[in-house]
Amino acid sequence: MIATPRFIFVHLHKSGGTFVNDCLMRYIPGARQLGYHLPRSALATELSHLPVLGFVRNPWSYYVSWYSFQRSLPRQNALFNVLSASGTLSFARTIRNMLDLEANAGLRNQVVAALPAAFTNRGLNLPGFALQPIADSGLGFYSYLYKYMYGEAAGLHMGRMESLRTELPRLLAATGYTLSDELQRHIATAAPSNAAPHGAYRDYYDPALRDLVAVRDAAVIELFRYRFDD
């Protein structure tokens, strides 16, 4: 999470936030980092009046990005290790486990126990207690994470990660900030940040898993008008 004199940026996982963080810290006067992957609810009272900016991505794409990124690491995080049985399960079985966290109490309890008990300000930075409310929510992991990170819609201004290079200037300008030439150039030309190589996300899904994401993550899919073939 980054605070500036005009707005707050909340960094939703694997949704372009590392790129945005770098832009803001380099070019926005007075920008300061408040922890890492902290939710909007963690904002200090004196900052709660500021508009909140954020980015979201196609949920089908998110699951492929998350899985590929974790597989690329020399040491995977606790969430991945539980859901994938320490990397022995396929993409489809791992993501099905992720989508079933809301309904599968046994698996959910394993994940909650494996996650840290408090914020660590690194990596996933999702304590076990923060995931526990996913129980019986009907939400997929990404939709739950979206709701957890951003909270209520009031004062929230979102862009789609897929068009980040055009959406970020629009969001910044809407707060009254005048973008410098250097910032505009950086947004337009800088390489993506924190990305893991993978193929087209559609190729990772069988019809059943595709449809399960459509059900579990309908909240994000419908709000931002995503489709599987975007």
Side-chain angles (χ1 to χ4, degrees):
M1 183 157 52
I2 291 179
T4 78
R6 291 183 178 272
F7 62 88
I8 303 294
F9 174 68
V10 173
H11 179 179
L12 178 60
H13 310 63
K14 305 304 297 174
S15 301
T18 302
F19 182 90
V20 177
N21 281 346
D22 184 53
C23 290
L24 301 183
M25 294 300 292
R26 284 188 188 212
Y27 298 105
I28 301 294
R32 54 195 174 97
Q33 187 151 0
L34 307 176
Y36 185 69
H37 280 318
L38 288 179
R40 183 183 185 182
S41 60
L43 267 177
T45 302
E46 61 268 22
L47 298 174
S48 61
H49 68 285
L50 292 170
V52 172
L53 310 187
F55 278 87
V56 66
R57 78 185 295 169
N58 184 317
W60 289 284
S61 172
Y62 163 79
Y63 291 112
V64 172
S65 176
W66 174 80
Y67 180 86
S68 301
F69 181 72
Q70 287 297 316
R71 292 285 297 189
S72 74
L73 297 175
R75 183 177 179 181
Q76 288 77 32
N77 67 22
L79 177 66
F80 180 87
N81 283 332
V82 175
L83 296 179
S84 70
S86 298
T88 63
L89 299 183
S90 66
F91 168 82
R93 291 182 65 188
T94 300
I95 301 309
R96 182 172 291 276
N97 281 341
M98 203 174 198
L99 294 166
D100 284 343
L101 278 172
E102 65 90 20
N104 187 330
L107 182 62
R108 184 173 62 251
N109 289 339
Q110 288 182 54
V111 172
V112 168
L115 292 173
F119 292 108
T120 61
N121 283 326
R122 58 184 173 82
L124 179 64
N125 201 23
L126 182 71
F129 70 81
L131 182 61
Q132 189 65 61
I134 198 174
D136 302 318
S137 67
L139 297 175
F141 183 82
Y142 189 61
S143 290
Y144 176 78
L145 205 57
Y146 175 90
K147 182 179 178 182
Y148 162 72
M149 291 296 291
Y150 292 125
E152 299 302 321
L156 183 60
H157 305 273
M158 298 297 301
R160 298 198 342 169
M161 190 199 80
E162 294 79 8
S163 51
L164 186 150
R165 295 184 193 272
T166 55
E167 288 284 275
L168 181 55
R170 176 186 67 79
L171 290 173
L172 293 176
T175 71
Y177 179 76
T178 301
L179 283 75
S180 66
D181 291 342
E182 291 83 1
L183 175 54
Q184 293 184 63
R185 187 159 49 248
H186 184 91
I187 294 171
T189 64
S193 302
N194 213 28
H198 56 77
Y201 70 82
R202 302 168 198 81
D203 296 340
Y204 288 73
Y205 288 90
D206 58 45
L209 186 59
R210 176 200 63 200
D211 293 347
L212 184 59
V213 173
V215 172
R216 293 281 199 267
D217 289 291
V220 168
I221 291 167
E222 293 172 5
L223 182 61
F224 294 97
R225 299 180 181 178
Y226 280 118
R227 299 179 304 173
F228 181 70
D229 57 355
D230 280 346

